[in-house]
Amino acid sequence: WLTLRYGADHERQNAVFSDDSGSLPTNDRMHDTGIWLQGDLKPIENLFLSAGLRRDEHNRYGDETTYRLSGTYLFDQTGTRLHSSYGTGFRAPSLYELYAPFAGDPTLRPETSKSFDIGVEQEFLDGALVADLTYFNLQIENLIIYNNATWAYEQIDGRSRMSGVEASVSYDVNDQLKLGGSYTYTDAVDQYD
């Protein structure tokens, strides 16, 4: 009824660049070490819960703790499954985003985010046909983008948001063939809009 998973990872980036084109020379490195723990819980039949926690220690941008909670419940009689999740995120800019020739911005700050989704999945034809409809909402602080107009990375200060609906369907034609399709409608607003 309970499964625990845990782990650690380490990422190191190095960037070296110099030429006579007028770009600033770069010789930089940074690293990030993360530890994580996830617990999967089945307290009663057909109810599945999950909780995850992650701690990042970044040598340039400091320490950050993020988490994710999710749950799903299956109604056996109707083949209906409700699902939802909520989580936070952290992403430091890469050395390429910071120092890419002509495109990098060394003043970029990390992105942080909050996301939420809720949906329903329904089985038909004894489980051969499965349809899912999910609403999602994502809010990102200090979004990092590549601006095609300026050909450079830049930061959108403040909160950008994306929300929408995703619909998917899959059909098991036989043991050898499965067909599927999906459609996503996204409404995105950033501080430029």
Side-chain angles (χ1 to χ4, degrees), residues 54 64-69 86-90 112-115:
R54 179 180 174 88
E64 187 75 26
T65 300
T66 55
Y67 62 91
R68 180 176 171 84
L69 306 169
Y86 178 83
T88 60
F90 167 80
T112 57
S113 63
K114 295 178 182 177
S115 63

Side-chain angles (χ1 to χ4, degrees), residues 76-98:
D76 280 330
Q77 304 84 351
T78 60
T80 306
R81 184 176 69 89
L82 304 177
H83 56 88
S84 183
S85 69
Y86 178 83
T88 60
F90 167 80
R91 187 182 81 83
S94 69
L95 285 177
Y96 188 81
E97 291 168 327
L98 293 169

Side-chain angles (χ1 to χ4, degrees), residues 31-63:
H31 59 84
D32 180 36
T33 301
I35 56 172
W36 57 271
L37 171 68
Q38 179 176 319
D40 297 322
L41 177 66
K42 184 181 176 186
I44 60 174
E45 194 66 27
N46 295 343
L47 175 64
F48 301 93
L49 304 172
S50 180
L53 186 68
R54 179 180 174 88
R55 177 72 172 179
D56 281 287
E57 296 182 0
H58 198 284
N59 72 306
R60 179 173 297 180
Y61 297 108
D63 301 341

